[in-house]
């Protein structure tokens, strides 16, 4: 879920150290003490149901309550005003970025306060919706393929669920780097979408009927050598009796991933609870292979990584500008529909990225 403004507008002013105020609404002026409307997740101790609510608060006096958490972190907007120590931006600049985990302002808000180290300039050619809707998956793809697996020309890459939002950007980045791409499709529609990719994908493995053998297909495609890099979309960890039916059908078992991985290969996993038994580790040891966990939040956990993180954000915007990245996005929605849309997103019922436009 991302947020994007219209093409112009001004809003509330604030000066605070290296903080910039970014407007994410289309048009309209506002005084200094303005009430801003944003979307929050409400923590409820009496019910397990997911609840999203709109809250109106003074931007300059925003303080988080314990039972409300801001919603939406990928933003694109226009800088309204900057703190006295801000050096990268000035009012009127078009920017994009990802709000940190401890941000008190929701991205789904008319204006937000952002430290300048979380923003980059948005190229004029890049649409607002594309900037907000692609920046997160761009960071994930770069983290997985460039920093965790050292992608280079000629490498073979298996990208699971290639028609997903992350899969689409990862395939485009891999092609741009000169890699040979193999991907899996979770439905006939996804398969047709992947087969239309240009440059073309070396092989699309249809796993929608649960009969496709991912490991066998990858070994066949690579002449028995195995793939150099695997970016999964989750894996099965246990026997058939212990896994949900949907997961059984669409995801490969961890043994399949280990089998299809080549010597010196890199397995980048999104499975945060991955469990490897001693035989699994021994097989990886024999192949000299590595397992890395894709967690794109780590860039903001250390100031040492800040320069690399900003380089990734800038490169994502550049590749959007040059057409290397061509995201698959739904039509942007207005703020008043964000509550219902977030409920759908939370239940993992949407395939494409959804952007809220003010």
């Amino acid at each position: 879920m991302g947020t994007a403004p219209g093409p112009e507008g001004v809003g509330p002013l604030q000066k605070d150290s290296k903080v910039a105020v970014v407007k994410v609404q289309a048009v309209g002026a506002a005084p200094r003490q303005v009430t801003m409307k944003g979307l929050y997740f409400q923590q409820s101790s009496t019910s397990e149901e997911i609840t999203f609510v709109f809250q109106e608060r003074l931007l300059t006096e925003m303080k988080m309550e314990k039972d409300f958490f801001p919603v939406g972190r990928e933003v694109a907007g226009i800088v309204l005003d900057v703190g006295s120590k801000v050096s990268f931006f000035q009012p009127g600049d078009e920017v994009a970025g990802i709000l940190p985990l401890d941000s008190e302002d929701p991205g789904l808000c008319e204006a937000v306060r952002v430290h300048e180290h979380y923003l980059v300039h948005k190229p004029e050619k890049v649409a607002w919706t594309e900037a907000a809707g692609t920046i997160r998956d761009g960071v994930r793809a770069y983290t997985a393929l460039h920093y965790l697996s050292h992608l280079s020309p000629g490498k073979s890459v298996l990208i699971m669920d290639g028609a997903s939002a992350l899969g689409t950007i990862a395939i485009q980045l891999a092609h741009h780097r000169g890699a040979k791409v193999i991907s899996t499709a979770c439905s006939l529609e996804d398969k047709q979408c992947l087969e239309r990719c240009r440059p073309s994908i070396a092989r699309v493995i249809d796993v929608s009927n649960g009969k496709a053998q991912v490991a066998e297909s990858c070994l066949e495609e690579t002449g028995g050598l195995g793939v150099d890099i695997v970016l999964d979309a989750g894996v099965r960890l246990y026997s058939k009796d212990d896994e949900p039916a949907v997961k059984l059908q669409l995801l490969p078992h961890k043994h399949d991933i280990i089998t299809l991985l080549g010597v010196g290969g890199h397995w980048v996993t999104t499975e945060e609870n991955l469990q490897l038994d001693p035989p699994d580790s021994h097989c990886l040891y024999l192949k000299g292979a590595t397992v890395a966990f894709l967690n794109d939040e780590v860039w903001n956990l250390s100031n040492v990584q800040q320069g690399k993180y900003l380089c990734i954000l800038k490169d994502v915007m550049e590749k959007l500008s040059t057409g290397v990245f061509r995201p698959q996005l739904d039509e942007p929605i207005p703020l008043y529909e964000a509550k219902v849309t977030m409920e759908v997103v939370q239940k993992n019922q949407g395939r494409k990225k959804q952007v809220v436009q003010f």
Side-chain angles (χ1 to χ4, degrees), residues 250-280:
L250 300 180
L251 298 180
H253 197 279
K254 61 181 178 180
H255 295 154
D256 295 332
I257 300 295
I258 295 173
T259 299
L260 64 84
L261 196 62
V263 172
H266 301 279
W267 175 11
V268 181
T269 182
T270 60
E271 189 70 51
E272 60 184 42
N273 296 314
L274 180 66
Q275 177 180 327
L276 294 177
D277 300 319
D280 302 328

Side-chain angles (χ1 to χ4, degrees), residues 60-292:
T60 56
E61 298 176 358
M62 182 76 78
K63 297 295 180 183
M64 284 299 301
E65 298 177 7
K66 290 191 297 184
D67 56 343
F68 289 95
F69 300 89
V71 173
R73 293 173 52 212
E74 298 85 37
V75 299
I78 300 171
V79 176
L80 300 174
D81 198 13
V82 297
S84 58
K85 296 182 180 180
V86 171
S87 56
F88 296 159
F89 307 101
Q90 59 186 1
D93 285 351
E94 297 181 354
V95 297
I98 302 174
L99 302 183
L101 284 169
D102 60 353
S103 173
E104 295 185 353
D105 298 344
L108 297 182
C109 189
E110 294 164 330
V112 295
R113 299 162 299 176
V114 191
H115 193 286
E116 67 172 340
H117 288 168
Y118 299 113
L119 298 172
V120 292
H121 288 93
K122 181 189 77 66
E124 185 178 351
K125 292 182 180 180
V126 177
W128 295 108
T129 53
E130 289 186 348
T134 309
I135 193 166
R136 168 74 67 178
D137 290 317
V139 170
R140 287 174 175 158
Y142 263 91
T143 303
L145 299 180
H146 185 68
Y147 288 96
L148 296 180
S149 56
H150 311 293
L151 179 67
S152 60
K155 292 288 184 71
S156 57
V157 183
L158 170 63
I159 298 174
M160 307 296 294
D161 194 11
S164 65
L166 170 59
T168 298
I169 298 301
I171 288 173
Q172 292 166 359
L173 179 60
H175 275 151
H176 181 69
R177 297 288 192 189
K180 174 182 179 180
V181 178
I182 305 170
S183 186
T184 61
C186 298
S187 67
L188 177 59
E189 181 183 2
D190 287 354
K191 182 174 184 290
Q192 294 172 343
C193 177
L194 292 173
E195 288 175 342
R196 292 194 297 266
C197 284
R198 293 293 180 271
S200 60
I201 294 176
R203 176 173 291 198
V204 177
I205 307 169
D206 186 359
V207 299
S208 60
N209 56 14
K211 298 179 181 179
Q213 300 297 322
V214 177
E216 292 180 5
S217 299
C218 289
L219 289 173
E220 179 183 349
E221 188 62 38
T222 58
L225 298 177
V227 299
D228 299 306
I229 299 169
V230 177
L231 172 57
D232 71 33
V235 295
R236 288 191 285 122
L237 304 176
Y238 312 109
S239 63
K240 293 182 178 180
D241 296 334
D242 299 324
E243 294 279 14
V246 175
K247 197 170 186 179
L248 275 174
Q249 182 179 8
L250 300 180
L251 298 180
H253 197 279
K254 61 181 178 180
H255 295 154
D256 295 332
I257 300 295
I258 295 173
T259 299
L260 64 84
L261 196 62
V263 172
H266 301 279
W267 175 11
V268 181
T269 182
T270 60
E271 189 70 51
E272 60 184 42
N273 296 314
L274 180 66
Q275 177 180 327
L276 294 177
D277 300 319
D280 302 328
S281 298
H282 184 65
C283 187
L284 290 168
Y285 165 77
L286 292 176
K287 292 186 175 186
T290 63
V291 178

Side-chain angles (χ1 to χ4, degrees), residues 4-9 23-27 76-78 94 128 357-358:
E8 58 183 30
K23 182 180 184 58
V24 286
Q25 69 174 5
V27 180
I78 300 171
E94 297 181 354
W128 295 108
Q357 185 164 10
F358 292 81

